[in-house]
């Protein structure tokens, strides 16, 4: 596309641009295989060849491998560029369709060039404004705004691809950039450091220090995604190595068998996430991955740095790498509903699972893991704010089950860069009233299904709690008979009007049914994200 016009925008195919980008990204596999083959060849030569010629050959092979390795981030960047273009075109087309629909509903005509007329006649700008002329001007402005959005996206994509092609001509050569952010540097400081680098220096860091780039809050989403995708193969290799160690144990024993099953589930979860990262709409961005333990992962659907609305979803008890695809599906359903309600606005959703979620009821009865998660969630939200392009996005954080406690504790103890908080299926969020959470008045929302067992999570007295946890942990967490009122295990029920927040309705569906298509809670969550 070049100089987008009315007819071009109608004919634009966002899915086609997205598919073209996926084709570029698919080349990273062959590039990686060839790089590994060169490394293997060099290793075999070193084993049976010595002297000056051998040294020169080894250096040349190493150089070729470095050149191949340096291509991978650029391939991902090209794919990101086309995916971003596709996303912007989709929004522009939706806005154009809405503008034309509104114009026609008002009795106006939009011709094949995008010109708007009243009664089939162009309004005369030299005559005093009439109601019809005002309507024509408004409709024409809406059409023009949609076209301008698409044209801007087209020019940005063209500039990025031109710069990539130019960089390819120099062989991606760049010296290592000097300096790194201090350990614990705030996201705004990290953002300022990154902004001070040249494109070549940023690509060098992505290619040579992906673990650093991929983990830094304050580095733009696109760069973190590039870096973390480069680490996917190594992360999977870590899980496979762990599996081989477990299989080597003879006899494995019951504990090893349990660990083997759990490890296999994490491997399956990683493979499912990798498949989603390879394609699909909206594009997925890998913002963090750690396969150790139960596994941690952060994935965004669409680019938060360019979205008008951003949802961060924090899951609860038992969440880990094994069920991350399912948790991502919940975020996706909210995002789909946002798109249906507001096709002319761009929303993004993030699965944030960068904490050790409780696996057992005895763990879930303590706020310790929520407190441990607080600083990381605080930094992540600050990072989203720091890297966002253009006008600030509306940022909403949603916590489910124990995840609602994570969100509440983080908001209370560290503060969250959020315009709204949502809690569903909550056992309490660690505060007695909504005004302790530090978000704008009227922007704390909650819901609880009428058949959600979390409603039984009543507190026990402090003397009885330790004994109850030891003797009957299930009874301790779901409550002891005879308790009434609005106090849950971790404080006042946020879905009670007395908490001071706003309550939205949920249908029946138990503790996990809030995202079901026919549940009114799903629409309500999307409307909170959109700010409606």
């Amino acid at each position: 596309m070049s100089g987008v016009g009315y007819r071009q925008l109608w004919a634009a195919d966002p899915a086609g641009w997205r598919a073209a980008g996926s084709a570029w990204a698919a080349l990273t596999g062959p590039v990686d295989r060839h790089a590994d083959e060169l490394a293997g060849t060099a290793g075999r030569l070193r084993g049976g060849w010595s002297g000056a010629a051998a040294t020169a050959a080894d250096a040349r092979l190493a150089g070729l491998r470095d050149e191949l390795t340096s291509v991978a981030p650029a391939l991902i960047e090209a794919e990101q560029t086309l995916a971003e273009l596709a996303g912007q075109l989709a929004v522009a087309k939706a806005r154009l369709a809405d503008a034309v629909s509104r114009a026609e509903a008002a009795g106006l005509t939009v011709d094949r060039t995008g010109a708007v007329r009243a009664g089939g006649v162009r309004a005369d700008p030299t005559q005093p404004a009439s109601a019809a002329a005002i309507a024509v001007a408004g409709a024409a402005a809406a059409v023009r705004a949609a076209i301008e959005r698409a044209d801007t996206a087209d020019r940005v994509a063209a500039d990025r691809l031109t710069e990539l092609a130019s960089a390819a001509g120099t062989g991606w050569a760049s010296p290592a950039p000097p300096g790194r952010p201090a350990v614990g540097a705030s996201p705004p400081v990290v953002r300022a450091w990154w902004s001070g680098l040249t494109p070549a220096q940023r690509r060098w860091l992505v290619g040579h220090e992906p673990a650093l780039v991929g983990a830094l809050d304050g580095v733009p989403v696109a760069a973190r995604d590039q870096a973390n995708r480069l680490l996917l193969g190594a992360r999977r290799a870590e899980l496979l190595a762990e599996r081989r160690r477990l299989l080597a144990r003879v006899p494995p024993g019951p504990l090893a068998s349990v660990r083997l099953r759990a490890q296999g589930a994490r491997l399956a979860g990683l493979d499912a996430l990798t498949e989603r990262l390879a394609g699909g709409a909206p594009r997925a961005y890998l913002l963090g991955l750690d396969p150790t333990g139960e596994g941690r992962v952060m994935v965004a659907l669409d680019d938060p740095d360019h979205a008008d609305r951003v949802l961060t979803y924090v899951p609860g008890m038992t969440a880990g790498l094994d069920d991350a695809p399912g948790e991502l599906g919940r975020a996706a359903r909210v995002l789909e509903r946002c798109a249906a309600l507001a096709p002319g606005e761009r929303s993004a959703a993030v699965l944030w699972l960068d904490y050790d979620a409780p696996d057992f009821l005895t763990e879930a009865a303590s706020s310790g893991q929520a407190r441990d998660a607080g600083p990381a969630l605080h930094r992540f939200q600050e990072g989203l704010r720091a890297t966002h392009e253009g006008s600030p996005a509306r940022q909403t954080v949603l916590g489910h089950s124990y995840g609602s406690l994570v969100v509440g504790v983080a908001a209370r103890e560290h503060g969250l860069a959020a315009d709204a908080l949502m809690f569903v299926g909550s056992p309490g969020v660690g505060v007695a009233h909504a005004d302790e959470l530090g978000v704008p008045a009227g922007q704390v929302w909650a819901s609880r299904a009428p058949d959600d067992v979390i409603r039984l999570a009543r507190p026990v007295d402090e003397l009885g709690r330790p004994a109850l946890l030891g003797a009957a942990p299930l009874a301790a967490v779901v409550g002891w008979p005879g308790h009434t009122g609005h106090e849950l295990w971790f404080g006042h029920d946020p879905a009670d009007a007395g908490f001071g927040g706003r309550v939205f309705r949920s249908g029946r569906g138990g503790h996990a049914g809030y995202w079901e298509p026919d549940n009114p809670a799903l629409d309500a969550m999307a409307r909170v994200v959109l700010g409606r």
Side-chain angles (χ1 to χ4, degrees):
M1 298 173 66
S2 176
V4 178
Y6 179 78
R7 283 179 289 185
Q8 283 178 302
L9 182 53
W10 273 121
D13 178 15
W17 288 108
R18 193 175 291 113
S22 296
W24 279 103
L27 294 174
T28 57
V31 166
D32 289 342
R33 286 194 295 274
H34 288 310
D36 291 341
E37 289 168 3
L38 281 174
T41 299
R44 289 190 296 273
L45 286 175
R46 282 193 297 269
W49 189 17
S50 61
T55 301
D58 187 60
R60 179 56 180 153
L61 286 172
L64 287 172
R65 184 177 186 277
D66 286 345
E67 288 181 21
L68 276 174
T69 302
S70 68
V71 170
L75 293 173
I76 298 171
E77 188 174 346
E79 183 262 337
Q80 288 176 335
T81 300
L82 295 177
E84 174 64 19
L85 174 62
Q88 294 286 8
L89 288 177
V91 171
K93 283 174 69 73
R95 291 189 177 185
L96 181 62
D98 181 67
V100 171
S101 176
R102 289 175 181 271
E104 292 175 345
L108 306 176
T109 300
V110 183
D111 68 19
R112 289 182 296 177
T113 69
V116 182
R117 297 180 173 86
V121 180
R122 289 180 187 264
D124 185 348
T126 65
Q127 299 299 314
S130 63
I134 292 172
V136 167
V143 169
R144 187 166 56 251
I147 295 171
E148 288 174 353
R149 181 176 185 127
D151 189 59
T152 299
D154 178 62
R155 284 186 283 105
V156 168
D159 289 346
R160 285 186 65 184
L161 293 174
T162 298
E163 195 275 326
L164 266 175
S166 176
T170 64
W172 312 106
S174 172
R180 303 290 183 273
V183 176
S186 69
V189 169
V190 172
R191 178 63 171 130
W193 163 74
W194 187 262
S195 297
L197 300 174
T198 66
Q201 288 173 327
R202 295 172 193 161
R203 291 190 186 104
W204 189 96
L205 283 165
V206 168
H208 291 81
E209 299 183 21
L212 170 71
V213 175
L216 277 177
D217 294 310
V219 168
V221 164
R224 291 183 70 173
D225 174 65
Q226 292 167 26
N228 285 308
R229 283 172 181 259
L230 294 180
L231 295 169
L232 265 176
R235 298 295 184 246
R236 191 174 192 277
E238 291 174 22
L239 284 175
L240 289 173
E242 179 186 352
R243 187 169 187 83
R244 286 193 295 270
R245 288 193 297 271
L246 290 173
L247 288 170
R249 295 181 181 179
V250 182
L255 180 58
S257 297
V258 170
R259 292 181 60 190
L260 187 62
R261 286 195 296 271
Q263 194 274 344
R266 292 199 305 278
L267 184 60
L270 177 58
D271 287 343
L273 280 177
T274 301
E275 183 177 353
R276 177 60 182 86
L277 289 166
R283 187 189 190 278
Y285 292 77
L286 184 60
L287 304 184
L289 175 65
D290 180 359
T292 61
E294 299 300 318
R296 301 184 180 198
V297 66
M298 293 175 287
V299 179
L301 298 175
D302 213 333
D303 185 352
D305 285 349
H306 296 97
D308 305 306
R309 311 283 186 266
V310 180
L311 168 69
T312 300
Y313 165 51
V314 183
M317 181 178 165
T318 74
L321 186 55
D322 56 343
D323 61 353
E327 298 290 3
L328 186 63
R330 291 177 171 179
R333 284 193 282 278
V334 179
L335 194 58
E336 289 166 1
R337 197 56 58 93
C338 287
L341 292 171
E345 296 183 30
R346 190 169 175 190
S347 300
V350 183
L351 166 63
W352 188 87
L353 181 49
D354 193 22
Y355 83 106
D356 179 21
D359 292 319
F360 306 103
L361 286 169
T362 48
E363 292 178 332
S366 166
S367 63
Q369 283 157 281
R371 289 197 304 272
D372 291 343
L377 182 57
H378 163 79
R379 287 179 59 84
F380 181 79
Q381 288 298 119
E382 290 290 332
L384 289 180
R385 194 72 90 193
T387 60
H388 190 268
E389 300 284 348
S391 301
R394 173 179 168 83
Q395 295 190 172
T396 301
V397 184
L398 163 66
H400 173 236
S401 191
Y402 192 88
S404 69
L405 179 64
V406 172
V407 175
V409 170
R412 182 194 70 201
E413 296 187 356
H414 307 282
L416 287 178
D419 301 291
L421 302 179
M422 279 193 290
F423 308 113
V424 293
S426 176
V429 299
V431 301
H433 196 273
D435 61 12
E436 299 176 54
L437 294 170
V439 296
Q443 291 300 319
V444 176
W445 300 78
S447 184
R448 188 186 66 238
D451 58 342
D452 189 338
V453 296
I454 205 71
R455 73 191 188 282
L456 304 175
R458 304 297 184 192
V460 294
D461 62 84
E462 290 300 319
L463 290 177
R465 181 181 298 194
L468 195 55
L469 282 172
L474 178 62
V477 176
V478 302
W480 199 251
H483 284 277
T484 59
H486 301 290
E487 290 299 312
L488 298 177
W489 190 263
F490 294 111
H492 198 116
D493 181 0
D496 171 57
F499 181 74
R502 301 168 75 177
V503 180
F504 58 88
R505 188 172 69 88
S506 174
R508 301 180 69 84
H511 191 54
Y514 299 94
W515 293 268
E516 293 301 317
D518 60 348
N519 194 328
L522 181 59
D523 259 6
M525 287 188 282
R527 292 182 185 280
V528 173
V529 172
L530 294 169
R532 297 185 170 186

